[in-house]
Every structure is written in structure tokens, then in C-alpha cells.
Amino acid sequence: MSNAVSSPEITFPHEHPGGTKRIWKVFWILSVITIIELAIGLTIYNIHKEPNPNATLVLAFKGMVCILTLAKAYYIVSVFMHLGDEIRNMIMTVVVPLCLFIWFLLAFLWDGDSTKHLRNTDAHSRPAQVEQVHQPAAVDKDAKK
Amino acid sequence: MSTTAIPTNTKWWNGGRSPFNVSYGKVMMWYFLMSDAFTFGAFLISYGTIRFSVNHWADPNHVFSAFPFAGHANLPLAFVSLMTFILIFSSVTMVLAVHEGHRMNRKGVEKYMILTILGGLAFLSCQAWEWTHLITGDHAVLVNGQIEHWGTTVSKNPWGPMVMFEGKEVATPGPIAFGGYFFGITGFHGFHVFSGVIINIIMLIKTRLGHFDQRGHYEMIEKAGLYWHFVDLVWVFVFLCFYLI
């Protein structure tokens, strides 16, 4: 009964693996990635506590978290949503339109950055005043005095 | 990848069969989720655009550092990690329900659907607490030369840059967009969780009534499962955009 075809539109029944081993494996992968993400989040928190945080280092850590998030998304869609078990036509009809996000992200974040630059320079009429205000952590308020 | 041996010369596009080898309902569920992904994507990217366009943004480690019953302890990321693990775990119970459905095991489907519903309710309760804490929390803010006490709402952001005032460091109002984006996007996600819980309850009732056994397959559980996993997927990105970076 496990290969029951639910609809006449389906030509080849999906084969369902018998065990739940793969599900638990993905659960552990997702948990470990989340823990790594949290560790990076706390690292960023500690870097921000320093008097002069290293912006490049923070950016690198943030990029790492983004990549880990994409890995999590891949495992959820491929294994939990079973998209990885479908035929190529099905995978492509879902994944290809989502590629629009690449342009979407680039264009809009670029736009935001440009707006910031225009604001800080009064539309290029003066040199940029860097107003990067550093927000010290609550705990070292007294230490700074 | 697919374990079924499919002949390479199958004429997928000649009609009479689904070119995607899935039922109509499931394809449409995927397309609905795709459009929903674009909605969430548009919200998150608009948030990113605003965040890129200002010089200062609230530091999530300061805004979200509270935990129920922990008083004023500074615990950055702790509560949101609890919420994340609740959602991951309810995703696992959902995929186990789908698995039991493939095996036509009604008792198993019921068990895992109940666990999934409980996970969803736990997540919603966490979110209710977090919102209440943010809206009702008091934070000293320097407004027009005077100290005021603000909560975080859609019109008030007490997490702006720090300045010196009467010998003490005090926050100034931050970009007003913060509350709107935070409550808007997590609220839209929370509403998806809520509707997912309702859908799962309906599926549990239908399973109990034996509708899927009569039908001969548990495909409805798979479709509800797709929706539920999508909710988890969106949370992964909300977690990234609001709490981690």
C-alpha cells in the first residue's frame, strides 16, 4: 500500500523510504547549524562590546550566518518538503522562479545603500560625515567612565 | 534524488499526465507557497533596504535579551533560540506524520499531528510573550531634552544612538521603521503559524474520522505538511534578518 498512487495524473509512484533515519539525520543537521549560528551571533555581540569593533570581521561573520541559513533552507525544502524526491521538471518549476531573488536582493540593498550615501552627503553637495554611532553594551557603561 | 527508475524517453509534455509527476493539488500548493515566498521576500528585502539606508539601527542583542521569569538578566538570543528549536521540532513531527501517512498508519498520523499542533501553540505563546514584553517594557529615551520612558511599538523606537545627558549615557529615539518592520513581519509569520495550526487541527479531525483511509491515501497530510514546513522555512529567514544580523 505504501506506493499507492493518489491521482491518475501521476505516472510513476513515488518511492517512500521505509525508515525515519533520514528525517532524524536532517533534524540533527538543522540543530547543529542553528547552534553554530547562535555561537556566531554571540561572537558578534561580544565584538560589538569592544571599544573599536572590527567592522570587516563583523561583516564576515554575518556573511557566514547567511550561508548557514541557506544550507538550512536547502535541507528543509529538499528533505522535509520532499522536493528532492520529485522529478527534475517539478524541481525546476519551483526553483527557477526563485532565482529572481538574486536580482531583487542586489538591486534593493544597493538602492538602500545609495540612499544612505545621498543622505550623508546632502546629495553629493558635501563630503560624507561618517555618523557611525557606536552603541556600547549596557554592561560596560561604567567601565568606560 | 528520486529512487524510482523513470524511463528517460517518457513524454512528459504530451498530455494525459502531470508533467511534474505530482497531483494537481500538490502542484498548486507549491505554487501558492512560491507566491507566499515572494510576499515574505518582498517584506524582508524592503526591511533590508531601509536598514541599509540609515546610519544607525537597533542592535538585536540589546532589544531581544529578555527571557520569561528571568527578570532583568541579560540573555541575548536565548529566548529566540528556544522559539527556533520549538519550530524545528514541530517540523520534524510533521514530517513524521507524513511518513506515517505513507504507511497508512492512522494512529501514527494522529499522534504526530497532535505533537505538531502542540509545537505550533507553544511557538505562538512564545511570540505572545515576546510582543507583550517589547510593547510594555520601559526604556529611558532622551526626547527634546527630557527623559521619557518608551516601550517598543510601531510608532516608538527607544533603541536609537546613545548620547551623554547629565553625566549619563542615554538612548535617543531610533528609526521609527524598526517597530513597524518587526511587528509587521513577525506578525505576518505568526499569522501563518496560527493558520497552520488551524489547518493541522482540521487534518487531525479528518484523520480521526477516517476520511483519508476511505480515500486510500494521506495526500492531504502531505499538503498540510508542505504549508507547515514553509512556515518553518520563513522563520529561518526571519530569525536571520531580525535576530542574528
Side-chain angles (χ1 to χ4, degrees), chain B residues 138-166:
Chain B
D138 269 352
H139 302 281
V141 192
L142 184 67
V143 190
N144 297 329
Q146 276 185 325
I147 300 280
E148 286 187 19
H149 289 273
W150 282 6
T152 312
T153 66
V154 288
S155 57
K156 287 195 165 94
N157 174 5
W159 306 100
M162 292 292 197
V163 292
M164 293 304 285
F165 179 69
E166 290 174 353

Side-chain angles (χ1 to χ4, degrees), chain B residues 51-98:
Chain B
R51 214 179 138 164
F52 267 58
S53 74
V54 292
N55 286 313
H56 179 274
W57 197 258
D59 183 346
N61 284 317
H62 292 264
V63 185
F64 311 107
S65 64
F67 200 88
F69 312 115
H72 289 284
N74 181 36
L75 299 164
L77 285 173
F79 192 57
V80 73
S81 13
L82 175 71
M83 288 167 79
T84 304
F85 278 110
I86 288 173
L87 219 49
I88 290 179
F89 204 77
S90 82
S91 229
V92 173
T93 54
M94 186 75 229
V95 77
L96 288 171
V98 172

Side-chain angles (χ1 to χ4, degrees), chain B:
Chain B
M1 290 289 111
S2 183
T3 43
T4 316
I6 292 174
T8 43
N9 57 351
T10 308
K11 299 237 182 318
W12 289 110
W13 303 97
N14 277 11
R17 59 159 63 101
S18 161
F20 303 125
N21 202 38
V22 284
S23 69
Y24 177 79
K26 218 164 154 186
V27 178
M28 289 304 131
M29 188 43 135
W30 271 106
Y31 287 164
F32 162 68
L33 294 180
M34 214 164 69
S35 70
D36 222 12
F38 277 107
T39 310
F40 269 111
F43 284 161
L44 286 173
I45 290 169
S46 127
Y47 159 76
T49 310
I50 296 298
R51 214 179 138 164
F52 267 58
S53 74
V54 292
N55 286 313
H56 179 274
W57 197 258
D59 183 346
N61 284 317
H62 292 264
V63 185
F64 311 107
S65 64
F67 200 88
F69 312 115
H72 289 284
N74 181 36
L75 299 164
L77 285 173
F79 192 57
V80 73
S81 13
L82 175 71
M83 288 167 79
T84 304
F85 278 110
I86 288 173
L87 219 49
I88 290 179
F89 204 77
S90 82
S91 229
V92 173
T93 54
M94 186 75 229
V95 77
L96 288 171
V98 172
H99 181 80
E100 294 298 328
H102 288 154
R103 297 170 55 202
M104 298 297 289
N105 176 6
R106 193 174 73 170
K107 282 272 166 271
V109 174
E110 280 175 14
K111 182 177 104 188
Y112 287 120
M113 286 307 280
I114 290 170
L115 287 175
T116 310
I117 291 164
L118 288 177
L121 291 175
F123 180 86
L124 285 173
S125 321
C126 288
Q127 199 169 37
W129 183 86
E130 190 185 38
W131 276 36
T132 313
H133 179 82
L134 277 176
I135 295 168
T136 58
D138 269 352
H139 302 281
V141 192
L142 184 67
V143 190
N144 297 329
Q146 276 185 325
I147 300 280
E148 286 187 19
H149 289 273
W150 282 6
T152 312
T153 66
V154 288
S155 57
K156 287 195 165 94
N157 174 5
W159 306 100
M162 292 292 197
V163 292
M164 293 304 285
F165 179 69
E166 290 174 353
K168 273 192 296 184
E169 261 191 333
V170 66
T172 53
I176 203 166
F178 177 75
Y181 275 114
F182 177 76
F183 290 114
I185 294 176
T186 58
F188 197 57
H189 174 265
F191 186 67
H192 274 73
V193 178
F194 174 74
S195 47
V197 168
I198 300 291
I199 291 168
N200 284 346
I201 289 173
I202 295 170
M203 290 306 140
L204 175 66
I205 293 169
K206 283 177 79 71
T207 312
R208 285 233 144 163
L209 295 174
H211 287 182
F212 303 131
D213 284 328
Q214 285 162 25
R215 224 178 264 182
H217 59 81
Y218 276 74
E219 207 194 60
M220 283 307 283
I221 299 286
E222 285 181 46
K223 287 178 209 160
L226 284 177
Y227 185 76
W228 192 253
H229 294 310
F230 176 75
V231 167
D232 183 30
L233 182 68
V234 169
W235 180 254
V236 166
F237 286 96
V238 171
F239 177 58
L240 171 78
C241 295
F242 280 100
Y243 299 93
L244 286 177
I245 62 179

Side-chain angles (χ1 to χ4, degrees), chain A residues 11-110:
Chain A
T11 316
F12 301 100
H14 296 82
E15 196 113 21
H16 301 298
T20 53
K21 238 172 116 182
R22 195 163 72 134
I23 295 168
W24 287 108
K25 197 180 126 198
V26 170
F27 166 71
W28 286 114
I29 292 172
L30 291 178
S31 302
V32 168
I33 294 179
T34 307
I35 290 167
I36 297 171
E37 283 183 342
L38 290 170
I40 294 176
L42 289 174
T43 313
I44 293 175
Y45 171 68
N46 284 318
I47 293 173
H48 272 303
K49 276 205 296 201
E50 290 163 18
N52 286 309
N54 186 341
T56 326
L57 196 63
V58 170
L59 200 67
F61 276 128
K62 287 182 176 180
M64 240 146 82
V65 181
C66 290
I67 292 166
L68 289 173
T69 296
L70 288 176
K72 269 164 82 173
Y74 167 80
Y75 280 109
I76 292 171
V77 174
S78 166
V79 179
F80 283 2
M81 296 170 91
H82 295 290
L83 190 64
D85 301 328
E86 304 289 354
I87 63 165
R88 203 183 155 78
N89 284 351
M90 181 64 201
I91 297 173
M92 287 303 146
T93 192
V94 174
V95 171
V96 170
L98 293 180
C99 292
L100 273 173
F101 272 123
I102 299 169
W103 164 80
F104 208 20
L105 266 171
L106 286 175
F108 279 86
L109 295 186
W110 195 345

